[in-house]
Amino acid sequence: MSEQMLAQYRRYLQQLADNDSGELFTNGGKEHAVMLYSVLFSKVNSHVRIFCEGAHSEIWNHPIFADAFVKMVEKGVATVDILLEETPDRTGIPFPDYLNRLLDRSSGIRIREISENDHGYIRDVYGSNNVNFSVFDNRMFRFEYDKTAYKAYGSFNDKDTAAGLAAFFDRIFSNADPVSNGGIFRNPMEKITSADFKFDSESGSGFADVKLSPSNYSSISGL
């Protein structure tokens, strides 16, 4: 894809974000994913939730993603929660250098590994484990229904869907093991308590009702 087409797509996303648009748009492919994350990172103010494979993909290592992520953390976003399907000590693939540097600085990023039981829970809810998603400020989201092909949907202002995904994330995050830049912390003093588990008042316990899939949005058109 040409740089001109990517720039055009980013302008399209930026316009939606600046207008707080509730439009549901498609977001397919690595290049489009990176552009969307760069806009989302620039717009978020309070809480980022990212559920991903291992924070070591081509997207995480892309310079545009990395630059936007670092700038987001440095501007003081209160909470950045990352939930991993697999960790460096399991895969042998380290986090990107910029993420390790941020972790070494105690930047407020929390990383945890999903439990085996919750792998099954995601499969039960979505019909497969081939999904990733991220939520920003309980109103913006990117839902990747085919992580292998980077096929996703997103919105910059859909509070109902974002709150449901956030509650779903928090339920799984509460059961997950803390992770460092070198592996999983097994210190019993770091056991997760109920104080770590917070639902948003808007979403209640409705996290299992959020089931995005291609069939839900067959009429969507987008770039």
Side-chain angles (χ1 to χ4, degrees):
M1 182 173 294
S2 69
E3 291 185 9
Q4 183 178 1
M5 292 179 66
L6 284 174
Q8 181 182 4
Y9 184 67
R10 195 187 193 288
R11 287 195 298 271
Y12 161 74
L13 294 175
Q14 191 67 57
Q15 184 177 27
L16 292 178
D18 291 344
N19 292 332
D20 291 326
S21 172
E23 177 182 331
L24 191 68
F25 52 82
T26 58
N27 183 248
K30 287 176 286 188
E31 294 87 355
H32 280 188
V34 167
M35 291 299 169
L36 176 55
Y37 276 117
S38 70
V39 177
L40 288 165
F41 289 150
S42 71
K43 297 294 290 185
V44 69
N45 292 309
S46 62
H47 197 169
V48 177
R49 298 171 174 90
I50 300 175
F51 171 51
C52 63
E53 191 166 2
H56 54 59
S57 68
E58 290 181 64
I59 288 179
W60 278 87
N61 283 283
H62 196 288
I64 292 177
F65 181 101
D67 182 65
F69 186 92
V70 171
K71 286 179 178 176
M72 173 196 68
V73 173
E74 289 180 343
K75 80 176 182 180
V77 170
T79 306
V80 179
D81 290 333
I82 302 171
L83 181 64
L84 304 180
E85 294 186 72
E86 54 190 15
T87 58
D89 65 333
R90 298 186 190 279
T91 65
I93 305 173
F95 293 145
D97 287 343
Y98 71 87
L99 182 55
N100 279 327
R101 286 195 296 270
L102 291 171
L103 291 170
D104 288 340
R105 284 160 38 191
S106 301
S107 56
I109 301 171
R110 301 190 300 178
I111 303 182
R112 296 178 185 174
E113 181 189 25
I114 189 172
S115 71
E116 286 299 323
N117 286 340
D118 282 328
H119 271 294
Y121 181 55
I122 290 175
R123 185 171 56 250
D124 291 343
V125 171
Y126 293 112
S128 79
N129 284 324
N130 196 31
V131 300
N132 285 329
F133 62 87
S134 47
V135 188
F136 303 79
D137 287 348
N138 290 344
R139 66 183 183 88
M140 302 178 286
F141 73 91
R142 180 181 186 269
F143 183 88
E144 194 169 64
Y145 63 87
D146 184 347
K147 67 184 182 184
T148 305
Y150 301 97
K151 293 180 180 179
Y153 301 108
S155 176
F156 290 102
N157 192 14
D158 183 344
K159 293 180 181 179
D160 290 339
T161 301
L165 286 170
F168 183 66
F169 179 100
D170 289 348
R171 178 252 187 253
I172 300 171
F173 200 70
S174 70
N175 297 326
D177 288 312
V179 173
S180 74
N181 54 347
I184 303 175
F185 286 120
R186 297 299 183 184
N187 185 340
M189 295 301 292
E190 294 198 34
K191 292 294 289 182
I192 301 164
T193 68
S194 59
D196 265 317
F197 184 28
K198 299 181 178 67
F199 282 106
D200 298 305
S201 59
E202 291 182 344
S203 60
S205 58
F207 47 83
D209 298 328
V210 182
K211 299 183 180 181
L212 300 180
S213 69
S215 59
N216 290 112
Y217 301 110
S218 58
S219 62
I220 296 175
S221 61
L223 295 179

